[in-house]
């Protein structure tokens, strides 16, 4: 017999969020609420096949999300009608009845730490309780279930069913429980719905257990990590807690931040010591920032790989792209879709790179668009040059060899090619391959019209007089 399984209750409607999306898919930073809960369980060493998530309201979306983000053998169970948390646990009985111990977690408590969940899991060994529940003490007990402690037992009274006296209690139920399966099975069918909400409350299991001479207990954890998410305000508050936790972690790892309060870093990003983060920076997805990199103000990175000593001057947006060691970007550039700056390359002011590879020591300093382009090493792209990579149907490629010099305002009508050492004259429209070490001049010749200004001024004067 397997010892322990975990049931995550995520079938509820989340009415108070007032959102079309299911509550557990709402984001805290760039992860969904449910991701934190499941990642935490996995970090405690519970195998996916011993975890079940109960879905219902918006269940198709939750199921699709879980299947995309977590290993295949995570169990997804359905509670088609949501009749309360007691009904939820009953619905999953076939899953947990073959185990010795059952951990039940509300799916809307994402801030619980690994240490705390481990403590709950260990409680099945360290105490002889048939049910242990986690509580927290709060100044604002709001709608949480109140913890009623008696000499050797604990019970929970839901807010809506509580008297004024009981509502004053500041120790509340966090919605995380450890049950011994055998005693739970004996009483689960005794949970009734004769309460204000006409729901089957899991919290009633405790008083029923007490009445059957079973043992119940509670231990207190910090409010900050045990608060549930029921409203947009609570979602925002959870985001603030998670943000601060991640920021403090990276400060502890030697990252320097001028204004930590203004910085966002996703849970899956990794930073090295001596990285400098300026105010207003956001780092999302699975970004990796290596030693000595400088991320200037207002920059937004998502799945960005940033090499050692890279300088991002300010206001760069970098998505799904790589900046190798000692390369440089910004201010005001957009680097996206698998672009790469090789070592010591540079993408500067008002430059967009899309699916483009900029070779070592090559520079795209001003006002350029490079789309589907490959540049060799030591290339210089003059200001205002662009690839015309889209013909209305296909995206076509541009190749620029090593040591090329591209004059300002060159248009590369792709597919286009400059062989090594080639150059273009300013204002050229390149439609044919430029051979090695050649200069392409592809623009209209200049014509000077003598005396034009005098004639022009006379015409203006005449029109004013008439
Ligand atoms: C619940 C507790 C309350 C506790 C609080 C802590 C009960 C009766 N009350 O209240 O004592 O203080 O959590 O955050 O348990 N769910 C289902 N199926 C259902 C109903 C709920 O899966 O039929 C899921 C929800 O998706 C949610 C969790 O269970 O993740 C808790 O439900 P919710 O309605 O948020 O309970 P609370 O009113 O917050
Ligand atoms: Ca809740």
């Amino acid at each position: 017999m397997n010892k322990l399984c975990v049931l995550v209750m995520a079938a509820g409607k989340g009415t108070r969020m007032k959102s079309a999306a299911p509550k557990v898919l709402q984001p805290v930073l760039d992860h969904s609420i449910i991701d934190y809960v499941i990642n935490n369980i996995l970090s405690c060493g519970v195998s996916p096949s011993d975890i079940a998530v109960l879905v219902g309201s918006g269940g198709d979306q939750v199921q699709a999300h879980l299947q995309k983000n977590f290993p295949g053998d995570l169990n997804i169970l359905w509670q088609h009608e949501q009749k309360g948390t007691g009904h939820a646990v009953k619905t999953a009985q076939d899953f947990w009845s073959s185990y010795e111990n059952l951990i039940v977690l509300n799916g809307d408590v994402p801030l619980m730490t690994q240490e705390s969940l481990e403590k709950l899991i260990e409680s099945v060994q360290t105490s002889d309780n048939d049910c242990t529940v986690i509580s927290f003490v709060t100044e604002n007990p709001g709608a949480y279930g109140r913890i009623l402690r008696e000499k050797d037992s604990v019970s929970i009274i839901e807010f809506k069913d509580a008297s004024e006296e009981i509502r004053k209690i500041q120790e509340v139920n966090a919605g995380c429980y450890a049950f011994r399966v055998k005693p739970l099975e004996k009483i689960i069918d005794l949970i009734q719905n004769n309460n204000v909400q006409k729901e089957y409350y899991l919290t009633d299991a405790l008083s029923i257990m007490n009445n059957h001479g079973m043992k119940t207990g509670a231990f207190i954890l910090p409010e900050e990590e045990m608060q549930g998410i029921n409203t947009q305000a609570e979602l925002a508050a959870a985001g603030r807690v998670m943000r601060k936790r991640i920021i403090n972690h990276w400060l502890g790892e030697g990252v320097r931040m001028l204004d930590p309060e203004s910085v966002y870093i996703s849970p899956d990003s990794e930073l090295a010591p001596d990285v400098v983060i300026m105010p207003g920076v956001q780092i999302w997805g699975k970004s990796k920032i290596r030693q000595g990199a400088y991320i200037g103000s207002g920059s937004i990175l998502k799945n960005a790989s940033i090499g050692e000593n890279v300088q991002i001057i300010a206001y760069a947006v970098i998505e799904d792209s790589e900046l190798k060691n000692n390369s440089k970007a910004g201010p005001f550039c957009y680097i996206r879709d698998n672009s790469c700056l090789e070592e010591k390359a540079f993408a500067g002011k008002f430059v967009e790179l899309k699916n483009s590879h900029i070779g070592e020591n090559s520079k795209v300093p001003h006002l350029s668009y490079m789309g589907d382009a490959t540049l060799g090493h030591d290339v210089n792209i003059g200001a205002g040059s662009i690839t015309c990579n889209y013909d209305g149907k296909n995206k076509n490629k541009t190749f620029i060899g090593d040591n090329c010099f591209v004059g300002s305002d060159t248009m590369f009508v792709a597919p286009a090619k400059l062989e090594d050492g080639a150059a273009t004259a300013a204002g050229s429209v390149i439609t044919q391959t430029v051979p090695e070490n050649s200069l392409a001049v592809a623009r209209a010749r200049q014509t000077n019209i003598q005396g034009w200004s005098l004639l022009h001024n006379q015409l203006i004067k005449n029109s004013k007089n008439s």
Side-chain angles (χ1 to χ4, degrees), residues 263-453:
V263 172
Y264 287 78
I265 300 174
S266 66
D268 289 343
S269 288
E270 257 180 79
L271 288 76
D274 292 321
V275 163
V276 177
I277 309 281
M278 296 304 275
V281 166
Q282 300 178 26
I283 299 167
W284 300 115
K286 288 185 163 71
S287 292
K288 188 162 182 174
I289 305 185
R290 293 171 185 78
Q291 186 129 14
Y294 172 96
I295 317 294
S297 285
S299 296
I300 303 176
L301 279 55
K302 186 177 173 195
N303 300 324
S305 169
I306 307 295
E308 289 172 14
N309 303 315
V310 164
Q311 298 276 311
I312 298 175
I313 297 164
Y315 303 101
V317 177
I318 300 171
E319 293 171 355
D320 304 307
S321 291
E322 181 174 13
L323 274 59
K324 293 200 183 164
N325 296 351
N326 302 303
S327 62
K328 195 169 154 183
F332 302 105
C333 63
Y334 188 16
I335 301 178
R336 62 186 176 99
D337 295 289
N338 291 312
S339 289
C340 171
L341 290 182
E342 286 288 343
E343 294 199 12
K344 289 180 273 170
F346 174 43
K349 285 72 61 186
F350 305 102
V351 166
E352 179 176 1
L353 304 181
K354 180 232 136 189
N355 187 29
S356 286
H357 189 270
I358 311 301
E360 197 175 322
N361 210 31
S362 289
K363 295 175 175 58
V364 191
H366 333 265
L367 299 154
S368 283
Y369 171 58
M370 295 284 119
D372 306 300
T374 303
L375 279 61
H377 64 74
D378 296 285
V379 169
N380 191 80
I381 303 286
S385 296
I386 65 163
T387 54
C388 313
N389 61 322
Y390 186 46
D391 57 16
K393 218 170 163 194
N394 298 310
K395 302 280 166 74
N396 298 302
K397 290 189 156 63
T398 298
F399 291 96
I400 300 175
D402 299 334
N403 300 304
C404 287
F405 181 86
V406 170
S408 290
D409 204 22
T410 298
M411 308 283 119
F412 292 97
V413 181
K417 187 169 186 190
L418 257 63
E419 291 182 353
D420 291 350
T424 67
S428 289
V429 178
I430 301 299
T431 53
Q432 296 164 30
T433 297
V434 184
E436 212 173 298
N437 299 322
S438 310
L439 170 71
V441 187
R443 62 188 184 207
R445 276 189 181 279
Q446 184 169 331
T447 311
N448 296 335
I449 301 170
Q450 276 181 18
W452 181 87
S453 301

Side-chain angles (χ1 to χ4, degrees), residues 16 23 106 108 229-230:
R16 289 165 279 177
K23 175 163 77 174
N106 278 7
D108 61 354
I229 296 182
N230 303 294

Side-chain angles (χ1 to χ4, degrees), residues 138-154:
T138 170
E139 296 267 294
N140 305 303
Y144 288 108
R146 303 301 198 263
I147 297 280
L148 224 70
R149 284 185 185 266
E150 272 149 310
K151 199 166 155 275
D152 289 317
S153 69
V154 161

Side-chain angles (χ1 to χ4, degrees), residues 13-91:
K13 294 179 199 70
T15 319
R16 289 165 279 177
M17 293 303 293
K18 301 194 175 153
S19 164
K23 175 163 77 174
V24 294
L25 296 189
Q26 303 282 331
V28 171
L29 302 181
D30 62 1
H31 279 200
S32 297
I33 291 174
I34 191 82
D35 299 349
Y36 291 98
V37 179
I38 293 171
N39 279 327
N40 199 20
I41 304 167
L42 293 170
S43 316
C44 290
V46 180
S47 98
S49 59
D50 296 330
I51 303 170
V53 183
L54 196 65
V55 303
S57 200
D60 288 329
Q61 277 167 273
V62 180
Q63 178 167 358
H65 175 89
L66 293 172
Q67 283 168 345
K68 184 165 164 252
N69 290 284
F70 293 97
D73 39 4
L74 186 78
N75 300 282
I76 295 169
L77 309 176
W78 280 81
Q79 183 195 20
H80 291 286
E81 255 187 292
Q82 292 81 49
K83 299 183 188 170
T85 47
H87 177 253
V89 173
K90 172 73 190 165
T91 304

Side-chain angles (χ1 to χ4, degrees), residues 16 136-146 157-163 166-173 223 230 234:
R16 289 165 279 177
F136 63 93
V137 177
T138 170
E139 296 267 294
N140 305 303
Y144 288 108
R146 303 301 198 263
I157 316 271
E158 286 306 295
F159 170 77
K160 289 192 177 153
D161 303 290
S163 65
I166 286 177
R167 286 181 179 186
K168 285 188 191 137
I169 296 175
Q170 293 190 324
E171 185 181 0
V172 297
N173 170 27
E223 173 179 7
N230 303 294
E234 286 166 353

